[in-house]
Amino acid sequence: MLMVAMYVALLGCLQAQELQGHVSIILLGATGDLAKKYLWQGLFQLYMDEAGQGHSFSFHGAALTAPKQGQALMTKALESLSCPEDMAPGHCAEHKDEFLQLSQYYQLNTTEDYQALNKDIEARVQNGALREAGRIFYFSVPPFAYADIARSINSSCRPGPGAWLRVVLEKPFGHDHLSAQQLATELGSFFQEEEMYRVDHYLGKQAVAQILPFRDQNRKALDRLWSRHQVERVEIIMKETVDAGGRTSFYEEYGVIRDVLQNHLTEVLTLVAMELPQNVSDVQAVLRHKLQVFQELRGLQKGSTVVGQYQAYPEQVRRELQRPDSFHSLTPTFAGVLIHLDNLRWEGVPFILMSGKALDERVSYVRVLFKNQACCVQSEKHRAAPQSQCLPRQVVFHIGHGDLGSPAVLVSRNLFRPSLPTGWKEVGEQSGLHLFGRPLSDYYAYSPVREQDAYSILLSRIFHGRKDSFITTENLLASWAFWSPVLDSLAREAPRLYPGGAENGPLLDLEFSGSQLFFSQQPLEQLVPGPGSAPMPSDFQVLRAKYRESPLVSAWPEELISKLASDIEATAVRAVRRSGRFHLALSGGSSPVALFQQLATGHYGFPWAHTHLWLVDERCVPLSDPESNFQGLQAHLLQHVRVPYYNIHPMPVHLRQRLCAEEDQGAQLYAQEIAALVANSSFDLVLLGMGADGHTASLFPQSPAGLEGEPLVVLTRSPSQPYQRMSLSLPLINRARKVAVLVMGRMKREITMLVSRVGREPWKWPISGVLPSSGQLVWYMDYEAFLG
């Protein structure tokens, strides 16, 4: 009976293994650099890990190269494969021979080539009496080839019913949000979302792959630490000593932000910042929580980013791409970015992302630096140094290279002793080694028992169908939506030049304040332009002049908005000092949106708690309507700052379930509220715009309402929908201590010229009637509105 039971168990085990079936792995671009450096080695490691576990394999190298030459190139790459150091040489040679026998080269160019490959795979499965489990297609080819290959696979090389298909895609996944959307749509017409695995090889780095398990294993200790209450800042850094030589064609198109920050470093940020799901092995929960981080990222401003370029780069481009001697590149090879998240856990915590080429060292790490309120009385020589609460407290995921030279997780001994999953060991003493300003002995330091290449880890996860280490379409588009606006704003920005290597000194050191990031050291003034240095828009700062006999501030849009925001903050501070409160009346529409965003993200010293916010005008729609000026104010400013709710004064356009009915006396109610709260009904600052027809607020040409007389607030009629409006009157506006008029865009150039020549004719051009009786009027115009 015992023998029968053993036989049945063995037969059942064999059948279970047989049922797992055959897997075909097709490497497209099998003779390219990535394949030779990493992918064949990763596939060999996958075979060594999975051989004998129930699956059978075949490996198909494919490229456009003719069969004989392609086979020779592929064989050369396979001959250089290596085994783990702890594997016996004989055992290694055996595995290597098996892998070589299972690997075959194919020329894949036409639809017929894919049909032939499909027949070969089917024949192999049938001849071996196997069941096909699935196919993996690895696209190690340029993205422009994706669509044609995807079409051929979909039409001619899909596995049969019951077998899975996995297609693996390498970055770049688009150049911006629009191109990424187009590529995603194109691929989505051939493959299901669950079939696509977008590789970011950083997610396979052992220290990066350890972030979520580390947080999970140490929940109890980290629950009180991993938030704004304890974290001072987070640094996510990738430094390289090499330059872009040999890759300038790619770099001219993408630059360092698209190459490194938009993908590698942003993915790491999501792993650090995301809420931990209850079960970190739940793939869908991890992906949902990562996506939530993108939804909570505060929009980047141009002032949140600094860029640089090593000095030899333009000459490399001229040489490699045959550009003329006059060619000058604006492509950044260095970038630092300051990012904030708008959620309860991370509010106010700066995340600094930085990467660059031709720097002083090669190192990558994530550093979480904690606040320290300790004040130690004993001198350092009388303290147990590593445990001292006065020392820096930090958790570091050391991704690689640097002085340590290997992946590691470091935890300051004055924080807690961490738990780590199996497969990691404590790092031994290394005398003289200092990391982040402290000797290694100050840390609990752990490294992998066996170092693994990122591609080996990712190929294993592709094989096992784990999608949490890959970029979903939703994630990809969310990332591009976050990065594309700042990339557009930097397109004409001249990067700071740096010599490269150790000679950089402090030239690239960074500082931050609020949401602004800037270089610590001011650049030397260039009195004589160098060759090819044509003046850029950013070279022109703020122009001060007169317009209609009043002060004019003119600049490029970013500088103009920054100047206006600073002026409003200065006015607010003075008003609060003078009277304890600041009364600000704001216009709606599209022009002030950038200003609202600047005030929300860049002015943490603004006295919001003492500010009363009023509206200059309002459309007669419900306040929740997207057309509502109040709704725009809420979306772009109010939800980001802490203004007491009783200091916010929307216009009463919706009373008794009616919109701007005269008998409801909404205009009179608003006027009474102003008279009751604003001394002499004189706002500290009124922000206006100017329409292309010369209107301001909701005071329109050829309409007498609100241009003169006693009423402080009036109902008016617009020439465009929604027709009914409520507006402050011109007499009330002119009582203000200060009026700022913001005018932006080329489409305003014509009315700007016209209004500059006319007198005070508010019935024709209401803006011409704006002149505070005892206050100041200042015009803020961008160069396109002022100069055309």
Side-chain angles (χ1 to χ4, degrees):
M1 288 293 291
L2 181 60
M3 291 297 292
V4 171
M6 289 177 62
Y7 175 79
V8 170
L10 179 61
L11 181 64
C13 181
L14 290 172
Q15 287 175 338
Q17 288 193 1
E18 185 178 305
L19 283 173
Q20 291 184 52
H22 182 79
V23 176
S24 306
I25 300 179
I26 301 94
L27 176 54
L28 298 146
T31 58
D33 284 344
L34 184 64
K36 287 186 284 189
K37 286 181 180 177
Y38 300 110
L39 299 180
W40 281 118
Q41 183 64 47
L43 291 173
F44 181 43
Q45 184 65 53
L46 176 68
Y47 176 71
M48 288 189 288
D49 292 342
E50 300 296 335
Q53 301 298 315
H55 285 96
S56 60
F57 291 90
S58 59
F59 299 90
H60 309 263
L64 299 176
T65 312
K68 186 175 180 180
Q69 183 185 359
Q71 183 65 55
L73 290 170
M74 192 177 100
T75 301
K76 186 177 180 182
L78 297 182
E79 286 171 351
S80 64
L81 297 175
S82 60
C83 293
E85 292 179 1
D86 56 357
M87 181 178 283
H91 197 41
C92 174
E94 184 181 332
H95 273 306
K96 198 168 175 180
D97 286 343
E98 291 170 1
F99 186 75
L100 288 169
Q101 289 172 20
L102 293 170
S103 302
Q104 185 177 351
Y105 178 81
Y106 292 81
Q107 182 181 24
L108 287 184
N109 192 3
T110 65
T111 302
E112 290 73 23
D113 293 335
Y114 284 88
Q115 291 169 345
L117 171 63
N118 186 57
K119 288 178 182 176
D120 283 0
I121 293 173
E122 289 177 345
R124 187 186 293 260
V125 170
Q126 290 169 5
N127 294 340
L130 304 170
R131 182 189 65 83
E132 184 169 20
R135 300 179 190 180
I136 297 174
F137 284 85
Y138 201 114
F139 286 43
S140 180
V141 296
F144 66 76
Y146 282 3
D148 288 340
I149 294 172
R151 186 178 294 105
S152 296
I153 293 171
N154 186 56
S155 65
S156 308
C157 215
R158 273 188 172 273
W164 45 256
L165 171 67
R166 291 171 191 153
V167 293
V168 187
L169 307 163
E170 279 280 348
K171 79 175 185 75
F173 312 120
H175 183 267
D176 54 19
H177 186 264
L178 178 60
S179 59
Q181 177 71 71
Q182 290 170 341
L183 182 59
T185 301
E186 204 162 22
L187 290 171
S189 65
F190 302 118
F191 304 127
Q192 299 297 315
E193 178 65 27
E194 61 269 18
E195 295 175 330
M196 290 186 283
Y197 289 71
R198 291 183 182 84
V199 167
D200 184 325
H201 78 273
Y202 243 59
L203 294 178
K205 300 275 188 182
Q206 285 177 288
V208 175
Q210 189 57 235
I211 294 174
L212 286 188
F214 173 85
R215 292 181 58 193
D216 184 46
Q217 293 272 343
N218 296 281
R219 281 180 192 256
K220 188 173 180 181
L222 290 175
D223 272 350
R224 63 183 179 84
L225 292 170
W226 214 253
S227 75
R228 71 183 193 276
H229 301 297
Q230 296 287 340
V231 176
E232 179 184 309
R233 69 175 183 266
V234 179
E235 301 170 1
I236 304 175
I237 308 296
M238 177 183 169
K239 296 170 66 178
E240 297 183 274
T241 54
V242 298
D243 60 24
R247 295 184 71 218
T248 56
S249 176
F250 172 84
Y251 241 70
E252 273 301 279
E253 186 174 357
Y254 288 92
V256 69
I257 296 179
R258 290 180 174 91
D259 184 33
V260 177
L261 280 79
Q262 179 272 329
N263 38 74
H264 302 331
L265 302 194
T266 304
E267 284 298 315
V268 172
L269 182 150
T270 64
L271 296 175
V272 173
M274 66 182 273
E275 294 298 316
L276 273 187
Q278 199 62 38
N279 177 9
V280 295
S281 297
D282 183 339
V283 173
Q284 291 305 314
V286 170
L287 292 174
R288 279 198 309 273
H289 285 241
K290 284 180 69 176
L291 185 62
Q292 183 65 32
V293 174
F294 285 108
Q295 294 166 355
E296 294 168 344
L297 290 174
R298 185 182 299 167
L300 278 178
Q301 303 294 313
K302 185 178 174 183
S304 306
T305 306
V306 295
V307 290
Q309 182 191 88
Y310 63 85
Q311 288 173 342
Y313 178 78
E315 176 55 36
Q316 287 179 326
V317 177
R318 288 193 283 268
R319 185 175 63 252
E320 292 182 14
L321 304 183
Q322 286 81 52
R323 296 288 193 268
D325 291 343
S326 60
F327 173 80
H328 185 72
S329 174
L330 295 178
T331 299
T333 60
F334 169 89
V337 180
L338 179 63
I339 293 175
H340 286 90
L341 282 85
D342 288 323
N343 62 27
L344 286 175
R345 181 181 293 278
W346 296 112
E347 182 185 11
V349 177
F351 284 72
I352 301 167
L353 276 58
M354 185 269 282
S355 183
K357 290 188 173 294
L359 301 182
D360 62 320
E361 63 175 338
R362 184 185 184 190
V363 67
S364 303
Y365 59 85
V366 182
R367 182 185 183 212
V368 183
L369 186 65
F370 295 90
K371 297 174 183 177
N372 200 338
Q373 287 84 29
C375 177
C376 297
V377 176
Q378 291 281 81
S379 68
E380 191 168 339
K381 63 185 178 182
H382 295 132
R383 296 198 302 264
Q387 285 80 30
S388 169
Q389 289 306 303
C390 286
L391 294 178
R393 305 188 304 157
Q394 48 200 329
V395 170
V396 179
F397 300 96
H398 192 274
I399 298 169
H401 307 291
D403 292 335
L404 193 57
S406 63
V409 176
L410 311 171
V411 180
S412 295
R413 290 179 180 270
N414 58 2
L415 272 174
F416 62 92
R417 186 181 189 97
S419 300
L420 283 170
T422 55
W424 286 66
K425 63 182 180 185
E426 196 152 2
V427 176
E429 277 292 325
Q430 297 184 38
S431 61
L433 180 60
H434 280 62
L435 297 167
F436 306 100
R438 301 304 306 169
L440 186 62
S441 58
D442 275 12
Y443 301 96
Y444 296 111
Y446 300 87
S447 65
V449 172
R450 178 163 68 97
E451 284 194 41
Q452 285 184 278
D453 171 70
Y455 281 97
S456 297
I457 292 171
L458 292 176
L459 283 164
S460 175
R461 295 188 176 185
I462 293 164
F463 176 75
H464 289 287
R466 284 198 60 90
K467 292 212 68 174
D468 50 337
S469 296
F470 301 90
I471 316 301
T472 64
T473 300
E474 212 172 1
N475 235 22
L476 172 70
L477 297 180
S479 179
W480 275 120
F482 174 71
W483 284 102
S484 290
V486 77
L487 284 165
D488 291 343
S489 74
L490 291 169
R492 300 171 70 189
E493 181 80 2
R496 168 173 289 197
L497 296 178
Y498 59 96
E503 293 181 27
N504 293 333
L507 195 62
L508 298 177
D509 289 353
L510 307 175
E511 294 180 21
F512 58 90
S513 175
S515 67
Q516 302 294 300
L517 183 72
F518 44 88
F519 289 115
S520 303
Q521 189 177 95
Q522 292 300 310
L524 295 173
E525 294 295 334
Q526 187 180 18
L527 299 178
V528 180
S533 28
M536 299 305 299
S538 56
D539 296 334
F540 298 94
Q541 297 303 315
V542 175
L543 171 69
R544 299 178 187 278
K546 289 276 188 180
Y547 180 81
R548 289 182 59 82
E549 304 303 317
S550 293
L552 166 71
V553 178
S554 190
W556 294 105
E558 292 85 353
E559 286 82 7
L560 183 71
I561 291 298
S562 178
K563 171 64 176 166
L564 176 54
S566 297
D567 288 353
I568 292 174
E569 180 177 5
T571 303
V573 170
R574 286 195 298 270
V576 171
R577 284 178 186 161
R578 183 179 64 249
S579 64
R581 62 188 62 85
F582 174 53
H583 288 281
L584 172 63
L586 294 170
S587 285
S590 58
S591 291
V593 167
L595 172 68
F596 296 163
Q597 293 171 342
Q598 177 74 20
L599 287 171
T601 59
H603 292 265
Y604 292 107
F606 200 103
W608 293 115
H610 305 284
T611 296
H612 285 258
L613 288 175
W614 305 82
L615 285 181
V616 166
D617 63 329
E618 182 59 279
R619 296 172 169 92
C620 291
V621 295
L623 296 185
S624 58
D625 192 295
E627 290 279 329
S628 164
N629 287 342
F630 179 78
Q631 187 56 230
L633 185 64
Q634 165 68 22
H636 299 294
L637 180 63
L638 293 180
Q639 68 172 335
H640 303 296
V641 296
R642 293 178 175 174
V643 180
Y645 75 92
Y646 44 79
N647 283 6
I648 300 170
H649 308 280
M651 282 187 158
V653 294
H654 198 188
L655 297 173
R656 298 182 179 87
Q657 299 184 350
R658 295 185 294 193
L659 292 169
C660 294
E662 287 195 22
E663 54 269 33
D664 292 334
Q665 298 189 325
Q668 292 89 323
L669 289 173
Y670 205 55
Q672 289 168 14
E673 190 176 3
I674 292 169
L677 296 174
V678 182
N680 300 318
S681 299
S682 176
F683 292 108
D684 295 297
L685 193 149
V686 174
L687 176 69
L688 299 176
M690 178 170 69
D693 60 354
H695 83 263
T696 192
S698 281
L699 305 173
F700 297 96
Q702 312 303 325
S703 173
L707 299 180
E708 54 189 7
E710 293 298 320
L712 301 181
V713 184
V714 294
L715 293 177
T716 67
R717 189 163 181 81
S718 166
S720 59
Q721 290 186 329
Y723 299 116
Q724 284 187 295
R725 307 288 178 94
M726 185 179 289
S727 178
L728 302 187
S729 69
L730 197 53
L732 177 58
I733 290 170
N734 285 332
R735 289 191 193 182
R737 290 175 175 268
K738 181 174 181 178
V739 176
V741 182
L742 176 62
V743 188
M744 298 180 70
R746 190 180 299 273
M747 61 181 292
K748 301 291 179 69
R749 172 62 181 146
E750 189 174 332
I751 188 65
T752 299
M753 291 181 63
L754 176 63
V755 170
S756 70
R757 297 193 296 262
V758 303
R760 189 181 186 281
E761 301 179 72
W763 52 93
K764 290 185 179 179
W765 302 284
I767 189 68
S768 71
V770 176
L771 188 62
S773 52
S774 58
Q776 182 189 33
L777 170 63
V778 181
W779 297 82
Y780 293 81
M781 294 186 189
D782 70 359
Y783 286 138
E784 289 195 334
F786 183 52
L787 301 173

